[in-house]
Amino acid sequence: MSNQGYMLRTQPSIEDMVSEALDIIREAQEIYAPKRTYAMVSGGNDSITMLHLVRPYIDAAVHINTGIGIQETTQFVRDTCVDWGIPLIELVTPPETYVDILMRANGFPGPALHATCYHRLKSERLHELQRDYSKRGEKLLLLSGAREHESGRRM
């Protein structure tokens, strides 16, 4: 079978992707001059890989403990940060927040309440991070393991 007329797409090498990502971080630090740079770490493979790569560029790792995740994951994040010598900021969502969401939804929240869940469980913690770990007007740079092709909304 002939490939004539078709362009073969080549995947960039992992080295090229890492280099590009680190260039973006350095450029963002130059342009925006953040007071602090934090790595947002969920405990999943992407965020742990990102954490390993960005260690020289960050002031601390940040983990949002929503209270609805697996506690072993939170412990894994804590242990990894200790093992790697990375300061960890753990932001904890009050348990009553999720209970309140369940009560409003009359059960498990479906897709219609995704934005509400995100805001109450995570976004409010990000506002706490800004409030508690920077002075008024100081910029923070937050890094995540989200990949552009996976989630254009999160980019």
Side-chain angles (χ1 to χ4, degrees), residues 48-133:
I48 293 297
T49 301
M50 178 270 308
L51 180 62
H52 175 70
L53 294 171
V54 303
R55 287 163 65 179
Y57 302 95
I58 63 170
D59 297 292
V62 176
H63 177 70
I64 299 176
N65 183 346
T66 62
I68 62 171
I70 300 167
Q71 285 306 309
E72 290 83 359
T73 301
T74 296
Q75 190 58 52
F76 173 70
V77 170
R78 291 174 187 146
D79 294 344
T80 299
C81 287
V82 168
D83 291 347
W84 293 357
I86 300 171
L88 174 64
I89 299 169
E90 185 176 338
L91 305 170
V92 180
T93 300
E96 61 273 9
T97 302
Y98 191 63
V99 172
D100 180 55
I101 292 169
L102 292 174
M103 297 302 282
R104 279 184 40 196
N106 290 321
F108 188 80
L113 285 178
H114 176 80
T116 299
C117 290
Y118 176 82
H119 175 73
R120 298 285 312 280
L121 298 173
K122 293 184 179 180
S123 183
E124 288 179 4
R125 304 300 74 76
L126 293 174
H127 290 290
E128 287 175 23
L129 179 68
Q130 179 72 44
R131 182 192 70 218
D132 296 344
Y133 292 89

Side-chain angles (χ1 to χ4, degrees), residues 1-84:
M1 190 167 194
S2 170
N3 284 340
Q4 224 172 9
Y6 293 98
M7 295 278 295
L8 293 177
R9 291 174 25 122
T10 58
Q11 179 75 12
S13 71
I14 189 70
E15 292 82 8
D16 289 342
M17 290 188 290
V18 168
S19 178
E20 180 184 8
L22 297 178
D23 286 345
I24 291 168
I25 293 167
R26 287 188 289 267
E27 183 179 353
Q29 287 177 324
E30 261 181 47
I31 292 170
Y32 299 106
K35 184 69 174 177
R36 288 176 196 79
T37 300
Y38 295 129
M40 305 301 298
V41 182
S42 66
N45 290 338
D46 290 340
S47 73
I48 293 297
T49 301
M50 178 270 308
L51 180 62
H52 175 70
L53 294 171
V54 303
R55 287 163 65 179
Y57 302 95
I58 63 170
D59 297 292
V62 176
H63 177 70
I64 299 176
N65 183 346
T66 62
I68 62 171
I70 300 167
Q71 285 306 309
E72 290 83 359
T73 301
T74 296
Q75 190 58 52
F76 173 70
V77 170
R78 291 174 187 146
D79 294 344
T80 299
C81 287
V82 168
D83 291 347
W84 293 357

